[in-house]
Amino acid sequence: ELERRAKGTAVEGDLERLFVGKVRNVIRCTNVSFQSTRTESFYDLQLTIKGMRTLQESFDNYVKAEMLEGENKYRAEGHGLQDARRFVEFEAFPPVLHLHLERYAFDPRVMGTVKINDRLEFPRRISLDRYLAPDSPQQGQPQEFILHAVFVHSGDSHGGHYYVYICDDPRKENPR
């Protein structure tokens, strides 16, 4: 809605310029020379936190390759069923990176949504250079992000309250 209202104004395109990144979904065959790629834009990244200790572990999990083999082989055009690796790599990070921590999951034991209360450590600064695709136009440019705010939900999957911690000067090493 904000983008629609910005059309024809001095701020047209600013939301996309500030908040949109690009991620590439890749399937690469292991035994034949075949690769499939699909690039998508994102406004936020949804990171798994269940079983993760740190934000870095969540990023590593996000880009971790999955093997497609056995009954789960990939049908490569012109090559039939093939063993392959499926993974993601980033073509571009936006200047302002929004991370959504997956705090809710379906639990088949209760046949409903439950809140994940696992502790997750996150740094004040994080470098994401290593997650860029080798051919990214951002290669060679530092992909360092500084934590500005944390949005928190207090309650369970049926209700609660939201509050936010905002750093008044994110450049400070020890914000209050």
Side-chain angles (χ1 to χ4, degrees):
E1 178 62 20
L2 288 173
E3 286 177 323
R4 187 183 69 74
R5 289 178 180 248
K7 285 208 184 293
T9 71
V11 296
E12 182 174 356
D14 283 356
L15 285 171
E16 185 172 337
R17 183 182 57 77
L18 288 171
F19 297 105
V20 174
K22 294 200 179 297
V23 66
R24 182 184 305 152
N25 297 286
V26 181
I27 299 175
R28 185 174 296 148
C29 293
T30 57
N31 299 319
V32 296
S33 181
F34 183 85
Q35 176 172 296
S36 171
T37 62
R38 185 181 77 247
T39 300
E40 298 175 337
S41 297
F42 67 87
Y43 279 89
D44 68 336
L45 296 175
Q46 296 187 15
L47 299 178
T48 299
I49 63 163
K50 185 157 184 66
M52 306 292 156
R53 293 184 344 258
T54 66
L55 186 61
Q56 196 78 52
E57 281 184 19
S58 290
F59 265 99
D60 289 343
N61 183 65
Y62 190 86
V63 300
K64 181 175 70 178
E66 173 189 2
M67 291 304 299
L68 304 176
E69 54 195 358
E71 292 185 19
N72 195 28
K73 287 186 179 198
Y74 176 69
R75 184 172 304 280
E77 188 176 315
H79 299 282
L81 292 175
Q82 295 291 324
D83 291 342
R85 289 177 59 238
R86 177 171 45 199
F87 60 95
V88 299
E89 56 190 8
F90 291 93
E91 287 186 13
F93 285 109
V96 179
L97 182 61
H98 178 222
L99 303 177
H100 177 123
L101 304 180
E102 293 179 349
R103 287 260 176 220
Y104 294 93
F106 180 78
D107 186 341
R109 291 179 304 207
V110 298
M111 293 306 289
T113 303
V114 295
K115 185 172 181 182
I116 300 167
N117 287 308
D118 293 11
R119 173 185 165 87
L120 185 78
E121 294 179 17
F122 45 88
R124 294 267 306 122
R125 295 174 186 270
I126 189 169
S127 175
L128 302 178
D129 300 9
R130 70 185 195 186
Y131 301 110
L132 283 176
D135 61 344
S136 166
Q138 292 180 338
Q139 276 293 348
Q141 302 169 22
Q143 299 301 310
E144 184 170 288
F145 294 88
I146 302 169
L147 181 67
H148 287 265
V150 177
F151 194 63
V152 180
H153 178 260
S154 175
D156 60 23
S157 62
H158 302 291
H161 297 280
Y162 289 96
Y163 52 98
V164 65
Y165 294 105
I166 300 175
C167 181
D168 62 342
D169 186 352
R171 294 171 301 233
K172 290 181 186 175
E173 286 302 315
N174 295 310
R176 296 184 193 258

